[in-house]
Structure formats: C-alpha cells, structure tokens
Amino acid sequence: MNKSFTIHDLPKEERPRERLIKFGEQALSAHELLQLILGRGIAGESVAVTAQKLLTHFGSLQKLAEASIEELSEIKGIGLAKAAQIKAAFEIGRRISTQTLPYKSKELNNPEKVYQLIKSKLKDYQREHFYIIALNIRNYSIAEISIGNLNASIVHPREVFAEAIKNRAASVIFVHNHPSGDPEPS
C-alpha cells in the first residue's frame, strides 16, 4: 500500500505551524499558509498536495480568493467545510484591509488622500458600490449608500442627504467604483 507524504514526514523545524511560530507568518509561502488553513489532507493525499492543487488550479491567491464555494469544492480534497474555511480566511483579510482609521476632516483635502482612504474598500467588488464620506468638524464616517450591478448604481438623493444629516456633515465626498476597470467618468 502506498503511503502518502504527510506534514509529519517533514523534520519538525520545516513544518508550516512550527515555522510560523518560530519565524512569523510573513516567512511562510502561500502554499504553507494554505496548509495551515486546511489543517489536514484526505485519505491518500497530504494537505501539502491539496494546497498545491488549489494554487495550481486557480493560478494565484487573488483568483483563489475570488473563487466561489462551488468552484473550490470541485477540487479533490476540498469539501464544503474546507471551502468555507478558505472563504472565511480571505474574508477576514479583506475586512482588515478595508478598515480605515479616522482622519481629521482637514486631512482629506485632496483627491489623492481620499483615494488612499477608500481604495482597498472598493478594489475587489464585482458590482458598483456608492459611498458617501460625510465630513464633520472632527472626523469622517463612511456609509455605503447603494450596491448596483456591473455597470450602474442607482442612488436616491434622500439616502445621500439622510446619511449626511445623520453624520452632521459639514461637507461630503461621493465615491464609487468601476468594476470594469475603466476609470473614465460615466
């Protein structure tokens, strides 16, 4: 009977968990990080093989992050539970990357600063999203007003004004994405 290679076949200092503990998560490859998320392989296939199949099939971490539960579970060794684990890990990363620190309103005084504030919040959406940054005297707050489709987002003025009033806005900035990647104004 063929025995599959497992993580336990590696010297202890070469195992992903031990390497993370000793050197930090930044020292691990995408392959090793996936092994830690997956936890274990399946009968006859180590977690290292399963992680490699995911990376090979999708081609990049970005494509892997964009894959649906159904697409992930098409890979041998990835059932619904492991697909959900993968999606949850990427969602945690996305949420962290989209959290923004409060700025003083005077700091948002040019388009580049607004772009730096909002770019990670809008970068991976496949549909148009419309946001209002309501600037008050001390801080800003961001509110999502509308989620549209691939090329349009319908925004009613009452929703925009309600958010501005709720935040006691001294001024407002409107932001929306272009999922097509075309930055030309519509």
Side-chain angles (χ1 to χ4, degrees):
M1 179 176 193
N2 264 345
K3 181 181 178 248
S4 176
F5 170 81
T6 70
I7 294 296
H8 296 290
D9 294 328
L10 288 171
K12 193 168 187 171
E13 65 275 2
E14 293 298 317
R15 297 175 188 169
R17 180 177 38 209
E18 284 74 10
R19 285 182 28 80
L20 184 141
I21 292 166
K22 185 172 183 178
F23 301 112
E25 60 275 12
Q26 301 86 359
L28 273 63
S29 67
H31 181 251
E32 291 171 309
L33 291 169
L34 274 174
Q35 290 177 56
L36 288 172
I37 291 167
L38 296 173
R40 63 181 65 148
I42 58 172
E45 184 175 288
S46 74
V47 69
V49 172
T50 305
Q52 188 59 53
K53 283 195 315 191
L54 281 168
L55 288 171
T56 301
H57 180 81
F58 292 101
S60 70
L61 284 177
Q62 183 65 40
K63 295 288 185 193
L64 180 60
E66 293 168 359
S68 68
I69 296 265
E70 293 77 20
E71 291 170 320
L72 290 168
S73 60
E74 289 174 1
I75 304 297
K76 181 182 176 199
I78 305 295
L80 293 177
K82 284 187 180 179
Q85 284 175 273
I86 293 166
K87 293 302 287 180
F90 280 116
E91 179 61 15
I92 287 171
R94 188 192 68 75
R95 288 183 187 187
I96 289 169
S97 76
T98 62
Q99 287 181 345
T100 52
L101 300 173
Y103 284 132
K104 302 291 183 198
S105 60
K106 64 182 178 187
E107 293 179 32
L108 291 176
N109 56 8
N110 69 53
E112 181 60 30
K113 289 182 180 180
V114 173
Y115 172 73
Q116 291 302 321
L117 170 72
I118 202 82
K119 70 179 179 179
S120 64
K121 197 170 217 32
L122 294 175
K123 72 176 182 167
D124 292 327
Y125 288 136
Q126 301 300 314
R127 295 171 29 187
E128 279 205 15
H129 289 243
F130 182 91
Y131 288 87
I132 177 176
I133 302 172
L135 299 166
N136 58 24
I137 300 302
R138 297 209 168 112
N139 297 310
Y140 76 90
S141 68
I142 297 177
E144 185 170 70
I145 302 293
S146 169
I147 299 174
N149 57 28
L150 288 175
N151 61 358
S153 184
I154 307 302
V155 181
H156 196 282
R158 98 175 130 245
E159 293 157 350
V160 173
F161 289 119
E163 198 60 43
I165 291 167
K166 180 176 90 176
N167 286 286
R168 294 183 170 89
S171 59
V172 294
I173 300 170
F174 304 113
V175 180
H176 80 97
N177 64 327
H178 287 246
S180 68
D182 181 4
E184 290 297 313
S186 43

